Amino acid sequence: MKMMIKKIGTAYKIAGIFIALAAVISCKKNNINAPQLTLSNITDTIPASGGTVTLNFTANAAWSIDTTGFGWLQLSQTTGGSGAATITLTGAANNKSGASRSLLLNLNASNGQSRRITVWQDVIIYPSYNTSAKAADATGMSSTASQIANNITYGWNFYNTMEAPGSETGWGNPPITQQQFDLLKANGVNAVRIPIRYDGHFINTKTLQIDPLWLARIKEVIQYGINDGMYVTINIHYDPGSTLTGAPQDSANAKHRAIWEQVATYMRDFDEHLMFASLNETSLNNSNDVTSMVTTMRYHQTFINAVRSTGGKNVYRVLVIQSPSASTDILNQYLDPTNVYKTPKLPTDPTPHKMMLEFHYYSPSQFCILGGGTSTTPQDASWGKELYFWGNRNTYSVNGTYTNYHTTNSLFLDRNCTSANEESYVDSIMHTVKVRFADKGIPLFMGEYAPNYHAARLTGYPADSLKALASATHFTAYVAQQAKANGVIPFLWAGIFDRRGLNGVPQGPAVVGDQVTLDSVKVGVNRGIAAYGTGTKFQ
């Protein structure tokens, strides 16, 4: 009986081994046979003048693309079998059809996988200004976008000075000078952002040729920053028209290309301390307006293509593209690079590791947008009340002894921000962009942020007035701290430094106008750097 039991037990063990082996073999077979097609749903662009793009993918089954009625687009291969594949897409030269054109490629594999590839070709509306392209020049351009982000301590905007109508004094600001850059540098700021207008500076509106005098002035201002070893970012401070469709959108896109070809060519010889940013604060019909988001990415792709095509150092220059509406929420929701199925997609840059993503931080808008001026009347809007007080943490000793920055005065309790949009929200939003972008080698560029001025509304209430000022300081420092703690470069829109102008006329040299906030920001930035583990100290 014992022998029989032993034999039966042995038989079960042998059977168990066979079952396990069968399961392993089955799993391996299933793994081998798992449907594979390593290509995302993408959008690619053929230059209006003609050219090629390539698709690279691997499939473990036969595949095909139907090209019926394609006409202007030729494919080097339309069918294939299992393995790696490279398809060259060639667009016809000089699209003068009167409108941009697109084709949808349906790539279908016999394993059930399929992908949709949209191919665009822009229309030629304005003459090409890329008439003197240079061979690629990597001299002085070796840093990646992440390395440059790590080198930047803190950034500051020359706000709307060069975006004013007519000239840089058009909105009452004094002209930009070397002394203003020197002041920033002396106080530890090593990066500036210069918003720029080109409308009003065309010497020929039919061809969009930019006035050489305006280009020369922009170059002169850039040189002020380069003289101080600073990083300088210039943009086109406008929305090309992200809600446009059809021919108007084609015209806007062609305008974007014409401007950037001229600007990139003129500024081509600056080293990596100069960066280009595509556009500013596009408009959306609503936060779920995917069509306008795709249009924004189209403008960004045109920007990248235009800059890179001019050659020289521009082949390796860091380029900054902006989230639709400069929104962190949209950035996180729609542009997560790990999600291959959602649209829109980030544009394609032929030069790796040279892209930054820009967003702006004006949250809550009742605190950051509403307000300003010397009126004692609240600057309320139809969509919300002006808020005077932000923050519920005692973070910076230089701000005084506040345990939080909310008023307890019953007259102004409705002017306190809520915890939903204070420090915890900053912590959350900055951590999210770090995980989705900075940790994946795409540094974040917070091109604008700032509180507004509210103390005038508190005239006659000195304690509350002082608390409102301290609250603004706390906001400025805390947002900078959490930005740096999460791999984001903060650029203050305005404040701290006083350029001392009146109606466009300088009133003396620029000075530090708010030493308390400057000191607080330095504390915040350096705490952020310590938390992030790397970065250049703000001293």
Side-chain angles (χ1 to χ4, degrees):
M1 182 63 73
K2 287 183 180 180
M3 182 62 69
M4 181 62 71
I5 291 173
K6 187 174 182 181
K7 286 182 179 181
I8 292 173
T10 301
Y12 275 120
K13 286 181 181 178
I14 294 172
I17 291 170
F18 276 112
I19 291 170
L21 285 171
V24 170
I25 293 169
S26 175
C27 287
K28 287 185 176 179
K29 284 183 178 179
N30 288 338
N31 185 54
I32 292 171
N33 293 328
Q36 183 184 30
L37 183 56
T38 60
L39 186 69
S40 303
N41 296 319
I42 60 172
T43 297
D44 249 322
T45 303
I46 301 282
S49 58
T52 63
V53 295
T54 57
L55 300 177
N56 298 291
F57 61 90
T58 300
N60 62 353
W63 57 268
S64 64
I65 300 175
D66 182 7
T67 60
T68 304
F70 272 19
W72 62 270
L73 185 69
Q74 302 297 316
L75 278 66
S76 62
Q77 187 178 353
T78 59
T79 61
S82 180
T86 297
I87 305 174
T88 301
L89 313 180
T90 303
N94 299 327
N95 176 18
K96 296 183 179 180
S97 64
S100 62
R101 50 195 180 188
S102 64
L103 291 170
L104 180 63
L105 281 64
N106 287 300
L107 173 60
N108 297 304
S110 60
N111 60 13
Q113 294 287 297
S114 64
R115 299 291 186 269
R116 295 159 59 92
I117 300 100
T118 302
V119 182
W120 278 85
Q121 186 178 43
D122 291 325
V123 61
I124 294 177
I125 297 176
Y126 303 109
S128 172
Y129 289 96
N130 183 22
T131 58
S132 59
K134 289 185 176 182
D137 179 5
T139 307
M141 308 297 291
S142 61
S143 298
T144 66
S146 294
Q147 289 168 335
I148 288 177
N150 198 54
N151 291 341
I152 292 176
T153 55
Y154 189 68
W156 195 77
N157 278 271
F158 276 94
Y159 32 100
N160 292 112
T161 302
M162 298 194 76
E163 198 257 337
S167 71
E168 60 192 286
T169 62
W171 275 328
N173 296 305
I176 299 173
T177 66
Q178 181 69 63
Q179 185 269 334
Q180 294 165 11
F181 277 89
D182 295 345
L183 177 69
L184 296 171
K185 178 69 174 182
N187 284 277
V189 175
N190 73 345
V192 296
R193 176 176 178 262
I194 307 173
I196 299 175
R197 172 194 294 250
Y198 293 92
D199 286 293
H201 295 283
F202 298 122
I203 60 175
N204 186 329
T205 56
K206 292 184 178 179
T207 64
L208 296 187
Q209 183 182 355
I210 302 170
D211 186 346
L213 293 177
W214 186 235
L215 289 172
R217 175 56 179 157
I218 295 167
K219 189 173 186 178
E220 180 180 36
V221 172
I222 293 170
Q223 188 64 55
Y224 294 157
I226 301 301
N227 292 343
D228 280 327
M230 301 175 77
Y231 291 94
V232 179
T233 301
I234 63 172
N235 73 355
I236 304 179
H237 205 66
Y238 80 149
D239 171 8
S242 296
T243 59
L244 298 174
T245 59
Q249 185 188 120
D250 290 340
S251 294
N253 190 59
K255 177 181 178 180
H256 205 54
R257 177 184 62 82
I259 293 174
W260 273 116
E261 283 183 346
Q262 294 174 79
V263 173
T265 298
Y266 203 92
M267 312 301 169
R268 179 168 50 197
D269 294 332
F270 284 111
D271 71 7
E272 66 186 22
H273 284 80
L274 175 64
M275 299 184 286
F276 296 149
S278 176
L279 45 71
N280 188 70
E281 294 183 351
T282 56
S283 299
L284 303 179
N285 292 317
N286 56 68
S287 61
N288 295 313
D289 182 9
V290 173
T291 300
S292 293
M293 294 179 202
V294 171
T295 300
T296 300
M297 294 304 115
R298 180 191 180 192
Y299 295 145
H300 286 324
Q301 189 66 65
T302 294
F303 157 69
I304 291 171
N305 294 347
V307 172
R308 297 293 185 228
S309 69
T310 61
K313 297 183 190 301
N314 286 338
V315 173
Y316 304 101
R317 192 169 308 285
V318 168
L319 304 180
V320 182
I321 66 167
Q322 195 180 93
S323 166
S325 295
S327 165
T328 52
D329 293 330
I330 292 173
L331 180 70
N332 284 322
Q333 182 177 0
Y334 288 98
L335 296 176
D336 182 353
T338 64
N339 191 332
V340 300
Y341 297 104
K342 273 192 175 181
T343 55
K345 302 296 180 187
L346 291 173
T348 302
D349 187 355
T351 307
H353 311 303
K354 294 285 188 174
M355 183 189 293
M356 292 188 187
L357 281 178
E358 180 180 0
F359 66 88
H360 297 168
Y361 194 87
Y362 289 112
S363 180
S365 52
Q366 296 103 305
F367 180 73
C368 297
I369 304 298
L370 298 183
T374 59
S375 172
T376 58
T377 302
Q379 306 297 294
D380 297 340
S382 60
W383 46 267
K385 286 185 173 184
E386 178 186 355
L387 301 178
Y388 309 155
F389 309 98
W390 184 96
N392 53 33
R393 298 179 190 171
N394 179 18
T395 308
Y396 305 99
S397 60
V398 289
N399 280 358
T401 58
Y402 301 109
T403 55
N404 66 64
Y405 297 89
H406 289 186
T407 185
T408 57
N409 187 332
S410 61
L411 295 174
F412 305 116
L413 291 178
D414 60 345
R415 303 294 175 172
N416 286 327
C417 295
T418 65
S419 59
N421 49 35
E422 294 180 305
E423 292 95 342
S424 295
Y425 180 72
V426 176
D427 299 347
S428 173
I429 207 75
M430 295 298 177
H431 175 72
T432 302
V433 296
K434 173 184 180 292
V435 170
R436 291 186 175 172
F437 301 100
D439 287 351
K440 295 177 176 61
I442 306 175
L444 282 304
F445 185 105
M446 189 168 67
E448 297 178 19
Y449 88 105
N452 213 329
Y453 176 72
H454 308 288
R457 258 66 72 200
L458 296 162
T459 300
Y461 300 91
D464 287 309
S465 179
L466 289 173
K467 182 168 278 193
L469 293 172
S471 178
T473 293
H474 173 60
F475 174 92
T476 306
Y478 191 82
V479 172
Q481 172 183 308
Q482 293 309 99
K484 295 295 284 188
N486 290 281
V488 178
I489 314 166
F491 282 76
L492 185 65
W493 174 246
I496 295 181
F497 300 98
D498 183 358
R499 294 171 56 213
R500 301 177 71 192
L502 179 64
N503 298 323
V505 179
Q507 302 297 302
V511 296
V512 176
D514 187 349
Q515 189 67 51
V516 170
T517 299
L518 177 60
D519 291 342
S520 297
V521 169
K522 287 184 177 182
V523 172
V525 165
N526 290 331
R527 286 179 179 176
I529 290 170
Y532 191 56
T534 184
T536 303
K537 279 196 170 184
F538 192 3
Q539 298 175 330

